[in-house]
Amino acid sequence: GENVEQHPSTLSVQEGDSAVIKCTYSDSASNYFPWYKQELGKRPQLIIDIRSNVGEKKDQRIAVTLNKTAKHFSLHITETQPEDSAVYFCAASISGGSYIPTFGRGTSLIVHP
Amino acid sequence: EPEVTQTPSHQVTQMGQEVILRCVPISNHLYFYWYRQILGQKVEFLVSFYNNEISEKSEIFDDQFSVERPDGSNFTLKIRSTKLEDSAMYFCASSEAVGQGSEQYFGPGTRLTVT
């Protein structure tokens, strides 16, 4: 089955800095990669996703890149703000069937004001 | 904006007891899921459900677990005889469609504590 590794487990940055979270996956058939943000005690919420036919996607301060050859994808947050503090999970899945994402272990992002 | 809802928000039960966790998916969604998240760990898939039957289930979803859609709105997860290691946050999710790019919307979760 799919295995998703996520690094770092904790990331501490100053407000205004950039943050990068990296994930690798094992199954070359995976073709959909969502990122979820989970604030303390709240539900995971999708913040951005990327499909295997795209190398990069941006949404305001958030961007995701995908390298299919190397089987890794990354989340980039620019101009970080304290409200970006949360746990971020990457996931990988294979389209078709029930679409079951395999999650990474999460990165706790702390943005210091 | 419609949301997935879950009840109760926190359930405390004794080992060996049965618990039922309830979810109300978004009304026009057809696919339903249960996940669990042990404190401080990643979200893990348990089961998916479509057209009144299980589509897929993980190794975690053993004979102690069952799911049901008893009516047109509720989706339940039953744990027959709870164990200490069942303590976790349980998230329900639903999606309108399935496959690539079909966003799953998560509920707020039920924290299950088994003592």
Side-chain angles (χ1 to χ4, degrees):
Chain A
E2 176 66 278
N3 181 47
V4 176
E5 298 288 338
Q6 183 172 349
H7 300 279
S9 57
T10 305
L11 179 58
S12 184
V13 301
Q14 288 296 128
E15 183 177 0
D17 288 350
S18 294
V20 181
I21 302 170
K22 299 181 180 181
C23 289
T24 60
Y25 60 99
S26 60
D27 192 336
S28 56
S30 288
N31 54 15
Y32 178 63
F33 307 92
W35 285 87
Y36 290 85
K37 175 183 180 181
Q38 186 179 27
E39 296 177 21
L40 188 64
K42 296 191 177 180
R43 73 190 79 190
Q45 290 193 300
L46 180 72
I47 56 171
I48 195 168
D49 55 17
I50 191 167
R51 296 165 177 75
S52 60
N53 58 347
V54 175
E56 183 176 1
K57 183 177 178 181
K58 285 184 180 180
D59 183 2
Q60 299 182 337
R61 297 186 295 109
I62 295 172
V64 57
T65 58
L66 171 64
N67 183 326
K68 286 178 57 181
T69 303
K71 295 206 284 281
H72 68 69
F73 56 112
S74 301
L75 177 71
H76 304 252
I77 306 174
T78 58
E79 300 172 29
T80 53
Q81 300 167 2
E83 50 265 39
D84 293 330
S85 297
V87 178
Y88 291 81
F89 291 95
C90 63
S93 69
I94 302 171
S95 69
S98 297
Y99 162 55
I100 307 302
T102 299
F103 286 83
R105 290 195 173 276
T107 296
S108 178
L109 174 65
I110 303 165
V111 181
H112 299 281
Chain B
E1 184 177 340
E3 289 186 335
V4 176
T5 60
Q6 289 183 244
T7 54
S9 58
H10 190 190
Q11 174 87 48
V12 181
T13 189
Q14 288 189 328
M15 194 168 51
Q17 295 297 303
E18 174 184 286
V19 294
I20 298 176
L21 310 183
R22 291 183 167 80
C23 168
V24 178
I26 294 173
S27 61
N28 64 329
H29 286 187
L30 302 175
Y31 299 85
F32 315 116
Y33 312 83
W34 282 102
Y35 294 86
R36 80 171 185 190
Q37 185 179 32
I38 296 171
L39 186 64
Q41 298 188 24
K42 66 177 175 180
V43 176
E44 298 174 292
F45 166 73
L46 292 177
V47 65
S48 62
F49 192 86
Y50 169 69
N51 199 26
N52 283 320
E53 61 182 25
I54 291 173
S55 302
E56 291 191 38
K57 59 183 181 179
S58 71
E59 295 173 351
I60 303 168
F61 194 88
D62 60 22
D63 292 342
Q64 293 284 72
F65 292 89
S66 62
V67 289
E68 191 178 30
R69 188 153 164 83
D71 52 45
S73 60
N74 289 285
F75 178 51
T76 63
L77 174 69
K78 180 191 290 185
I79 309 175
R80 288 190 183 82
S81 178
T82 50
K83 298 175 283 210
L84 294 176
E85 53 265 38
D86 293 327
S87 295
M89 182 73 89
Y90 288 81
F91 291 103
C92 171
S94 68
S95 63
E96 187 174 358
V98 75
Q100 192 180 57
S102 297
E103 179 179 352
Q104 293 185 14
Y105 292 82
F106 283 76
T110 293
R111 179 164 298 285
L112 176 65
T113 302
V114 182
T115 61

